[in-house]
Amino acid sequence: MRKIVIDLAELKKLGELNRDKNIKFRMFLKSRDGKSLDENVHKLYEKISEQIDCTRCGNCCINLSPPLTNKEIDILSRHLNISSKEFEDTYIELDEENCKCLSKIPCIFLKDKICSVYEIRPTECAEYPYLHKKGFSSRLLGVIENYSVCPIVFNVYEELKILYNFR
Ligand code: SF4
Ligand code: SF4
């Protein structure tokens, strides 16, 4: 396996530089067998995520706005000792699909690169960057977006290019 990249400035630069290639690779992956692609992604995810310490990164919480369910809004507002309405008025905005998302970037719960509500964090946060899930090929647009944000996604995508001999 190549040396993994964890430098966030490097990731951003390579995200712009490799954008066209990443889109072509997306088309290539969409023509592969989805089941074996998922198996390869799961193995790479396991191998790469154990080499990356999220508590020294936090870049997803600095750049993304996770969608919350009403139940999660209740839980987080109770944590802050405010009403759900106050929480929504202050910290929530609707995205283009009308989902209620945390509006402040970086996330208000991020303290020194660590989630201060880790035990009660929203499901979307717990599942990010989604590489343990099935259906990788149906989420490739999001993968390309996350390629320049998350070192785990970046390195999994680069390893896939090598595995599938994509140039
Ligand atoms: S709730 Fe926690 S995990 Fe989710 S974005 Fe905020 S700091 Fe990150
Ligand atoms: S999931 Fe990715 S972006 Fe988020 S903290 Fe971990 S390595 Fe960083």
Side-chain angles (χ1 to χ4, degrees):
M1 189 179 278
R2 35 175 271 298
K3 190 172 179 300
I4 61 166
V5 179
I6 51 170
D7 181 79
L8 298 174
E10 183 76 1
L11 238 64
K12 204 168 173 208
K13 196 175 83 188
L14 291 170
E16 282 161 24
L17 206 66
N18 293 337
R19 189 154 184 93
D20 289 347
K21 188 176 180 186
N22 285 346
I23 290 168
K24 283 186 189 135
F25 188 46
R26 168 182 177 254
M27 295 316 293
F28 172 86
L29 287 177
K30 281 190 102 48
S31 67
R32 302 288 107 179
D33 173 62
K35 191 162 177 275
S36 78
L37 176 59
D38 279 351
E39 283 166 8
N40 288 329
V41 169
H42 295 163
K43 277 187 213 146
L44 286 170
Y45 172 57
E46 206 173 301
K47 226 181 259 179
I48 286 166
S49 57
E50 69 191 16
Q51 298 175 64
I52 293 176
D53 181 359
C54 285
T55 64
R56 298 174 72 124
C57 172
N59 208 32
C60 44
C61 311
I62 292 170
N63 286 283
L64 305 174
S65 302
L68 269 56
T69 63
N70 287 334
K71 192 172 172 205
E72 288 166 344
I73 289 173
D74 286 347
I75 292 169
L76 291 172
S77 45
R78 269 204 301 278
H79 175 81
L80 292 179
N81 275 325
I82 59 176
S83 69
S84 301
K85 179 170 184 330
E86 192 179 346
F87 186 92
E88 289 203 27
D89 290 346
T90 316
Y91 300 118
I92 292 292
E93 68 185 3
L94 296 180
D95 68 8
E96 59 280 359
E97 284 160 7
N98 259 357
C99 294
K100 294 176 181 177
C101 296
L102 282 174
S103 59
K104 311 277 186 206
I105 288 180
C107 177
I108 50 156
F109 297 111
L110 188 66
K111 309 281 180 223
D112 296 329
K113 297 190 178 177
I114 293 175
C115 176
S116 62
V117 291
Y118 188 81
E119 297 301 328
I120 54 167
R121 71 199 188 286
T123 304
E124 279 288 322
C125 302
E127 297 206 323
Y128 188 88
Y130 321 115
L131 299 181
H132 62 292
K133 300 181 90 169
K134 289 180 182 169
F136 181 77
S137 86
S138 67
R139 294 192 306 276
L140 281 162
L141 278 180
V143 171
I144 292 173
E145 293 304 316
N146 288 321
Y147 175 93
S148 54
V149 172
C150 174
I152 299 173
V153 175
F154 175 93
N155 289 287
V156 167
Y157 209 56
E158 286 303 311
E159 285 299 324
L160 280 174
K161 287 176 189 165
I162 295 168
L163 188 67
Y164 286 93
N165 205 17
F166 182 83
R167 293 175 203 284

